[in-house]
Amino acid sequence: MARQQAISTDLPGRQKASFRFLLGSNTVEGFADALTRTLLPILAVTALGLGSEFLGVLNAAGLAAFLLLGVPAGAVIDRLKDRRRVMTAATCLRILVTATLAISTFTGWLSGPLLLGAAVTVGIADVVFTTALSTVIPRVTPAGTLKHAYSQLAVATQTASTAAAAGTAALLGILGMGAALAAAAASYGMSAMLQLGIRLGAAPAPAKGGTAKIRRDLGSGFRTLRATPALWALTVSGALTNAGAMLGNTVLPVFILRDLDIAPPLFAGLGALAAAGAIGGAAAAPFLTAAWGLRNLRTGAAAASALCVSGAALCPWLPGPELAWLAVQSLGWSFLVSVSGVAGAEVLPRSVAPGKLASVAAAQRTITLGVMPAAALLGGAAAGLAGTLPLLGVWIVLAGAAAVPVIRSRELAEYR
């Protein structure tokens, strides 16, 4: 399929102003998302006394929404004229959820079913918001600057998420749980206000057809994805990377805290290094892509990430302190995965017609995110049987294998 640049018809000045509003909204939304997702498990454990079984269900709720509703949401959004209003509706739904949780915390009405319903609703809103967002970004971005726009959005979101995670303890200590939830609701409200400044101009022609046509077209996003070699290569590569990342998130804490007997505060410090690496990777991605080309960059990032994981897995036998190798892994892996995530983000809007953008984006996320809960469940069970080191070896293989579909795609060589 020929590449098509989805360019807004707005004047450049208005386009830049709209992008600034979008950047501000996405930053505040990222802060509120991270705060909400951090508070939900704390509520379950500290306020309700629920255990790991409930937490497993709670954590799976958001990803389940992407798996079950991502493709239908894309098909519906492709048929809507004003996708900015879809984003705002999803944000308002999250305002309602967090405000309800805040009120229930103050009044003592909080319960397990209410908490689970909130997690499911936030997950649904996340699906709708991100799917609509994927169609809005190209329309508020000047021609030729897509990769820099995705970089700025990723840096802002990562920074806001890091600030929210770091500030949760302070918010709880100073304001309390109910007030912290109210702060999340207020942040979502600010995001909704900023979205009012986004002006999209003339909309692309939406897909046509009613409910029956939507049902017939649910697979069109997957068909288009599979028929676009560059997109398909990035999707398979991303799925392999995400499967490895989720496997690592499941196994690495046990390896570090139990097998290596690293103190919990030091483990938390590794998380801070990982956040810094993710921010740096998002910022560097467009410049590295321009210098090396997308295919070379994604291939090199996959190979280097496998080396980073190898350093962590072999740290008991490598010279020097174990913690130093773990620090290199945390910083390096997060940097490289962030580079890979931002590098190539522009391929989707440049390869797919605007009228199909939401459907194809939803299909892509269904594949790349769908492997994550399966990897977590299988990895946890396998680690219980075989131990952590063999599973770290599987992570190394998955990280390196992410380079294979990229190397095989000649189309990706066109992108810089």
Side-chain angles (χ1 to χ4, degrees):
M1 178 181 294
R3 289 183 291 163
Q4 302 178 32
Q5 180 79 29
I7 303 172
S8 170
T9 59
D10 287 350
L11 295 174
R14 178 175 294 179
Q15 211 174 23
K16 292 178 181 178
S18 292
F19 180 76
R20 286 195 293 269
F21 278 108
L22 179 65
L23 182 63
S25 168
N26 211 54
T27 302
V28 180
E29 194 95 10
F31 177 87
D33 279 344
L35 184 57
T36 301
R37 294 186 186 281
T38 302
L39 292 174
L40 286 178
I42 296 175
L43 273 172
V45 175
T46 62
L48 299 176
L50 297 171
S52 57
E53 295 84 357
F54 183 85
L55 288 182
V57 176
L58 192 69
N59 290 333
L63 289 176
F66 274 100
L67 285 172
L68 300 176
L69 301 176
V71 173
V76 171
I77 289 171
D78 271 338
R79 285 163 168 75
L80 300 177
K81 186 176 181 180
D82 192 341
R83 284 81 181 270
R84 195 271 300 165
R85 290 187 179 181
V86 177
M87 291 170 51
T88 303
T91 299
C92 289
L93 183 59
R94 287 188 270 202
I95 294 172
L96 179 63
V97 169
T98 49
T100 300
L101 287 175
I103 293 170
S104 65
T105 301
F106 284 124
T107 59
W109 296 342
L110 189 67
S111 66
L114 178 62
L115 202 59
L116 185 59
V120 171
T121 306
V122 167
I124 293 171
D126 195 14
V127 170
V128 174
F129 182 89
T130 54
T131 303
L133 178 65
S134 67
T135 70
V136 170
I137 294 172
R139 294 178 58 201
V140 299
T141 304
T145 63
L146 265 176
K147 60 177 177 286
H148 293 281
Y150 283 112
S151 173
Q152 291 179 58
L153 289 166
V155 168
T157 301
Q158 290 282 3
T159 303
S161 298
T162 302
T168 298
L171 282 170
L172 291 177
I174 298 171
L175 302 176
M177 180 64 73
L181 287 164
S187 298
Y188 282 128
M190 184 181 299
S191 174
M193 293 296 293
L194 288 169
Q195 289 166 29
L196 297 176
I198 301 172
R199 297 290 182 264
L200 300 182
K208 298 180 179 179
T211 304
K213 183 66 164 58
I214 291 176
R215 285 198 297 266
R216 290 195 298 271
D217 285 353
L218 286 180
S220 66
F222 289 105
R223 290 192 295 271
T224 301
L225 184 66
R226 187 65 183 89
T228 310
L231 268 183
W232 181 247
L234 293 178
T235 301
V236 175
S237 178
L240 290 169
T241 298
N242 285 348
M246 185 55 69
L247 186 63
N249 289 341
T250 303
V251 174
L252 199 60
V254 178
F255 177 70
I256 293 175
L257 294 171
R258 186 194 67 187
D259 298 350
L260 300 181
D261 198 25
I262 300 292
L266 295 176
F267 177 72
L270 295 175
L273 281 178
I279 294 170
F287 303 100
L288 295 176
T289 305
W292 294 345
L294 179 57
R295 185 167 72 168
N296 291 336
L297 178 59
R298 290 286 297 253
T299 301
S305 65
L307 289 176
C308 285
V309 180
S310 299
L314 299 175
C315 69
W317 300 279
L318 293 173
E322 295 171 345
L323 191 62
W325 290 103
L326 294 172
V328 170
Q329 184 273 329
S330 295
L331 185 65
W333 168 265
S334 298
F335 177 87
L336 293 164
V337 170
S338 184
V339 164
S340 295
V342 175
E346 62 174 327
V347 175
L348 175 63
R350 290 176 61 182
S351 303
V352 177
K356 291 186 176 181
L357 196 53
S359 297
V360 179
Q364 187 179 47
R365 280 193 296 272
T366 298
I367 294 173
T368 56
L369 296 180
V371 301
M372 297 178 75
L377 292 173
L378 293 174
L385 295 173
T388 56
L389 274 179
L391 271 297
L392 290 175
V394 175
W395 184 9
I396 295 169
V397 172
L398 289 171
V404 176
V406 176
I407 294 172
R408 296 181 61 185
S409 174
R410 295 180 180 177
E411 290 78 9
L412 286 176
E414 302 176 23
Y415 293 88
R416 298 197 70 86

